[in-house]
Amino acid sequence: FKHELEQGEFDVVTCLPGRVVVHDARMHADMTNMFVNHHDFAFDEAFDETVGNDEVYDRTAKELVQSTLEGRCSTVMMYGQTGSG
């Protein structure tokens, strides 16, 4: 949101192709200076808020669903904010 950017706020999670970076804001022991740790996680796929459900399905589960319909076993693990679509 514009007002968050104006106040110097930032996203705590950045989704990049095949990886997710978590920006962990912390305070120094003096409790006056902040710093940020960046934690990088690799995934087969990672999607940001601009990607629609059809693209997520096509790039992740489509082939697995087809193989399941052909009698094979498949598992899809997906994580996301509850109610986000």
Side-chain angles (χ1 to χ4, degrees):
F1 297 109
K2 182 180 177 184
H3 69 278
E4 292 174 330
L5 294 174
E6 290 171 351
Q7 294 173 359
E9 300 286 335
F10 56 90
D11 288 338
V12 297
V13 175
T14 302
C15 291
L16 302 167
R19 60 189 264 241
V20 173
V21 181
V22 177
H23 312 289
D24 182 17
R26 300 287 180 118
M27 280 291 230
H28 281 285
D30 63 12
M31 296 303 288
T32 57
N33 295 304
M34 291 184 67
F35 66 98
V36 178
N37 286 328
H38 304 282
H39 306 282
D40 202 318
F41 301 92
F43 294 93
D44 293 334
E45 293 280 357
F47 304 97
D48 65 15
E49 67 275 6
T50 64
V51 178
N53 290 337
D54 290 339
E55 184 176 352
V56 171
Y57 175 76
D58 287 344
R59 290 174 50 190
T60 57
K62 186 175 183 176
E63 289 181 21
L64 296 174
V65 170
Q66 184 60 42
S67 69
T68 301
L69 294 173
E70 294 168 359
R72 295 187 206 98
C73 295
S74 300
T75 302
V76 177
M77 299 288 291
M78 302 181 99
Y79 299 92
Q81 180 179 348
T82 301
S84 64

